[in-house]
Amino acid sequence: MFFRTLVKYSRNLSVSVSKSPHRRVFQRIMSSSSEDYTLPNNQPVVVLECSSAFDSLTKKEKLYAHYLSQACWVGSLIVLQQTSPESPLIFTLLHKIFSSESIEDLKKKISSQLSEDEIKAFLVYSCGVFANCGNYKGFGDSKFIPKLPIEKFEYIVCSSEAYNNEPEVVNSVWEKCKTGLYSAYDSVRSLGFPHKGVTTYFSSNYNTKEVEEVSALMKKYQIEGYNNRTIKLDSPKSYQILLASVEQGIVKSETVPEYDCKFEIVKGDYAPLLAKVNENLLKAKEYASTDDEQKMLDKYVESFKTGSLEEHKNGSRFWIKNKNPIIETYIGFIETYRDPHGSRGEFEGFVAMVNKEMSKKFATLVEEAEQLLPKLPWPKAFEKDKFQKPDFTSLDVLTFGGSGIPCGINIPNYDEIRQNEGFKNVSLGNVIPCGFKDSPFPFITPEDRELVIKYAVSAFEVQVGLHELLGHGSGKLFHKSKDGKLDFDKDNLTDPLTGEAISSWYEDGETYDSVFTALGSAYEECRAECVGLYLSLFPEVVSIFVKNPEDVENITYVNWLLLVISGVEKALEMYQPITKSWLQAHCQARFVISRVLLEANEGLLTVNEVEPNEKLLITLDRQKIHTVGQKAIKNFLLKLQVYKSTANIKEAQKMFDKYSEVSDEGSQPWLKWRDIILKHKQPRKIFVQSNTVEKDEDVKLITYEASLESFLQSWVDRFPDKDYIHKSLIELAAKDEPHFQY
C-alpha cells in the first residue's frame, strides 16, 4: 500500500514519492496545469451576517428554520454528484480529515514537511471544494486544482487522524479521486458536453446526435429534465433517464424502433441523500406556521420520494400562495445553468428571514408593476394576459445550500406556473453588500470609482429588483395547446420586427428550456438585465428606492456603469478561448449587452488600452445613456422578447452568437484585453454561513469569523450524522463510476 510507504519515509518525503509508480502519472498531470486553475492564497472570506434577523424569530420559527436548513445542507451535497465524478469523493476525503482533528493539530503534524504557503494552499483548496460543492467553480464552471504538489497533498492525507482511524477507507477514497483531483487536461478544464468538458448530466459515452435523440424521446414521453440525468448503456443500446427519488426501480422500459434503442425511466438517483432531506422536511413541517407551508412541504417530500416533478410543481403552487412568511424557503432541482443542454436542474435550497424595511420598497415596486410594464418596448399582446402580483421580499439568508449564492431569485422556473399562476421574487439583502466589499474597480476613472463605492449597493438593489420582478416576471410565451388552439390572436397580430404574421410558437409539450436549451439561461438573463437597465432610466422607478433627486440620477448612472464593468471585466474572465465557450450565463449576457452598447457608438461606451498590455479604461458617457443608450437597449430588448415569445430559436441564436463572439479582429481586440484583465483578476469571495443547533426544543445560532479555518469548521459542524453522509457519498460515487469516465 502506497500510503504505508509514504508514512514510513515521512522524514524523507522526496525520496519515498520519487520511488512511487504514481510519480510519473502525476508529473504528466501537473505539467498540463496552470495558475488559471488554482485558487490564490489570498482568497477573501466574508461573513454572511444574519444574527439580528435570526434573533428576532420565535422559538417555533427557529425550529422551523433549523430543520429546513438541515434539509438544504444535506440536499446541497447532491450538487457534488451533479458536478464531477470525483467531487463526492474529494468532499468526503476532506470532510473526514477536518472532522477527525482540529486544524491546528493537523498543521502541527505537517509543518515539518510543508511550508506555510503550502499548508495555506491546502486550506484554500478545501474551502473551494466546500464553497462550490465540488471541484469546479459554481460561478464560471471552470476547474480548480490544489496549488501544491501531489506528493505534499498525499502527505497531508496520510498524516491525518482520519487516515489513522480508517486507513483502508481513506486510502480507497484517495486512490479513486486523486487523478480527477489533479487532472487539468483541456477536456476536463470546464463543465460541458462529453469530450469538450465534464458533465454528470449525461454519461461520458454520449455524442451530440444521441443527446438530441434523448431530447426527442423525452419530448415524446412528455418528460421535463429538471429532476433527472441521462446515461447510455451500449449493449444493447439503452437510454436511461435517472429520476431523483428515494424510491428505486424501473418505471418504464420500451423499445423504440426509430432509434434502434430501449428507453427506460429508472427511479432512485441520489436516494440516500434525498431520504435525509425528507426526514428533515417532515420535522420542519411540525413547526410550520400555515396550512400552505405544511402542504408545500408534503408535496416536496412526495416529489423527492417518488421522483414526481408534478408534485414539486404542486409544492411550488402552495409556495407562491404562502404570502409574506416570516421565514422564506425553497428547495429542489431549480436552475439549469450547468446542464450543457440547459434543461436539467441543479439542486439548491435556501432558508432566510424577511428584512422588513427593504421589503417595503419591493412591495411598492410590485404595486406599481402594472403601470411600469407598459413602459417596456414590446406591444401589449407580447405581455402576459394578466400580471400575477408576486410576493417580493428582501431576505437575510440564514442558509443557502448549493454551488453558489445569488443576489436575487425569481422562481419557480416552471413556465405554466410563472405565466398563469404566479411567482415570487426574493432579493438576498445580506448577500449584496458582501459582493462589493473591498472591490478595487481597476478599469474606471477615479471619479467613477468614488461614485461606485458610494452607490454600488443601492444601484445593485434597484437592478436586482427590476431584473427579478419585471425582467424574469414579464413577457408572454405563445403556445399551441394539445387540441390545436393558439393562446394569441394569430389573425390580428403581426411580428413587430418584420411586420408579417406570427409564424412560430411553442408546440404542445414544449417549454422555453426545451426549445432554447443551451442558449436559454444566458438569453433569459440578458433579457432580464436589459429590463433593469431600461427601466432604471425612468426617475419614477428609481424613486421607489431613493427619494433624493441627486441620488436617483447617480444610482441610474452607477447601475449602467456596473453593468458594463461586469460586461467587460468580469465577463471576459468567464470566457474560455480554447473551446470558444462561455462558462457563466450572467457573464455572457452582460458581455452581449456591452457589445450592443459599443455598437451604438456616438461615444456612449468606450473601452481603451491606456497602458499597453497593462491596463484598460472603461468610460460611459453619463449624458448619452438617456438617449443613445436608451434607444440601443430598447431595440435590442424588443428583439429579445419577440424571439422568446415566438420560440424563434434560429434568429435568437444568430443574434446572440454575433454579440457573444470574442476575437482580436477589428478595433476591439477582446482576446488581448482578456489577458490584461486576467492580470488584475480578483478572486471571488467565499461566504461563511452560520449553523443552527437544536437542543431541548430550542435552537442556537452558531456564528463564525471571516477566516479559512472558521469556514472549514462551519462545514465540520454542519452535518450531525457525518458518518451517514460519508457512506452515502462513497456509495453514490461508486454507482456513478462506470458511466462517467474522464
Side-chain angles (χ1 to χ4, degrees), residues 435-446:
F436 293 107
K437 188 176 182 180
D438 300 324
S439 296
F441 301 106
F443 302 128
I444 56 177
T445 65

Side-chain angles (χ1 to χ4, degrees), residues 29 32-39 83-87 90 125 128-129 132 134-146 177-192 197-198 338 574 576 583 681 742:
I29 292 170
S32 68
S33 67
S34 153
E35 280 291 310
D36 291 342
Y37 295 91
T38 59
L39 301 177
T83 299
S84 71
E86 65 272 11
S87 284
I90 297 172
Y125 177 78
V129 171
N132 293 280
N135 60 337
Y136 287 76
K137 294 177 182 177
F139 190 88
D141 293 349
S142 59
K143 188 173 187 177
F144 56 94
I145 62 175
C177 74
K178 62 185 177 184
T179 300
L181 192 151
Y182 269 90
S183 175
Y185 299 116
D186 288 349
S187 61
V188 301
R189 288 187 173 186
S190 62
L191 300 180
V198 169
R338 299 179 97 185
M574 298 298 166
Q576 190 178 68
L583 303 177
K681 181 179 178 180
Y742 290 99

Side-chain angles (χ1 to χ4, degrees), residues 29 48 82 159 189 194 202 232 342 401 404 411 447 508 558 611 699 727:
I29 292 170
L48 194 60
Q82 292 180 304
S159 299
R189 288 187 173 186
F202 295 89
K232 186 186 74 169
I411 39 182
E447 295 78 15
D508 178 52
V558 169
E611 295 176 25
V699 178
K727 181 183 177 185

Side-chain angles (χ1 to χ4, degrees), residues 196-316:
K196 293 184 179 180
V198 169
T199 183
T200 59
Y201 290 104
F202 295 89
S203 57
S204 52
N205 58 347
Y206 267 91
N207 59 44
T208 305
K209 177 185 175 184
E210 291 165 339
V211 169
E212 295 308 315
E213 287 180 358
V214 167
S215 297
L217 287 168
M218 290 178 68
K219 180 180 177 181
K220 174 183 176 180
Y221 291 103
Q222 295 192 318
I223 301 170
E224 293 183 67
Y226 282 106
N227 65 339
N228 60 60
R229 300 188 294 160
T230 65
I231 62 172
K232 186 186 74 169
L233 304 179
D234 290 314
S235 299
K237 181 178 172 183
S238 299
Y239 295 134
Q240 288 191 338
I241 305 299
L242 305 183
L243 284 183
S245 67
V246 178
E247 293 179 351
Q248 302 186 47
I250 296 175
V251 178
K252 181 190 289 288
S253 181
E254 293 185 7
T255 299
V256 187
E258 59 263 43
Y259 295 122
D260 189 28
C261 73
K262 183 182 286 185
F263 182 74
E264 296 184 324
I265 302 173
V266 183
K267 287 185 178 183
D269 212 10
Y270 321 120
L273 295 178
L274 286 172
K276 187 63 73 171
V277 169
N278 276 356
E279 179 183 313
N280 283 290
L281 290 179
L282 289 172
K283 289 180 180 177
K285 179 188 170 185
E286 297 175 18
Y287 303 100
S289 299
T290 67
D291 186 53
D292 282 335
E293 286 179 350
Q294 291 180 342
K295 290 177 179 177
M296 169 189 78
L297 294 178
D298 279 337
K299 295 300 181 182
Y300 291 158
V301 168
E302 187 66 14
S303 174
F304 299 150
K305 177 185 175 184
T306 64
S308 167
L309 186 64
E310 192 58 37
E311 288 292 17
H312 194 270
K313 291 180 179 181
N314 289 334
S316 300

Side-chain angles (χ1 to χ4, degrees), residues 413-469:
N413 289 331
Y414 307 122
D415 287 346
E416 68 269 38
I417 297 179
R418 289 164 66 96
Q419 183 142 321
N420 302 316
E421 300 176 52
F423 53 92
K424 280 189 183 182
N425 290 280
V426 295
S427 174
L428 304 181
N430 58 341
V431 176
I432 292 173
C434 295
F436 293 107
K437 188 176 182 180
D438 300 324
S439 296
F441 301 106
F443 302 128
I444 56 177
T445 65
E447 295 78 15
D448 277 347
R449 189 177 299 114
E450 187 175 330
L451 278 173
V452 167
I453 290 171
K454 182 175 181 180
Y455 289 105
V457 172
S458 297
F460 201 66
E461 286 174 342
V462 171
Q463 179 69 4
V464 168
L466 297 175
H467 173 116
E468 300 297 346
L469 175 66

Side-chain angles (χ1 to χ4, degrees), residues 25 256-257 334 504 545 614 684:
V25 175
V256 187
I334 313 300
S504 60
F545 295 86
E614 291 296 330
R684 193 168 175 83

Side-chain angles (χ1 to χ4, degrees), residues 58 64 104 115 151 232 238 262 474-475 568 611 657 741:
T58 66
Y64 182 61
E104 289 306 311
S115 68
E151 63 268 18
K232 186 186 74 169
S238 299
K262 183 182 286 185
S474 66
V568 175
E611 295 176 25
D657 285 349
Q741 299 291 322

Side-chain angles (χ1 to χ4, degrees), residues 66 79 114-115 152 178 205 242 244 291 324 367 386 393 398 415 447 542 580 635 671:
H66 167 70
V79 179
L114 278 80
S115 68
K152 298 293 183 78
K178 62 185 177 184
N205 58 347
L242 305 183
D291 186 53
N324 301 311
E367 287 302 313
K386 179 177 175 56
T393 49
L398 168 64
D415 287 346
E447 295 78 15
V542 182
K580 296 184 178 180
N635 293 337
L671 288 174

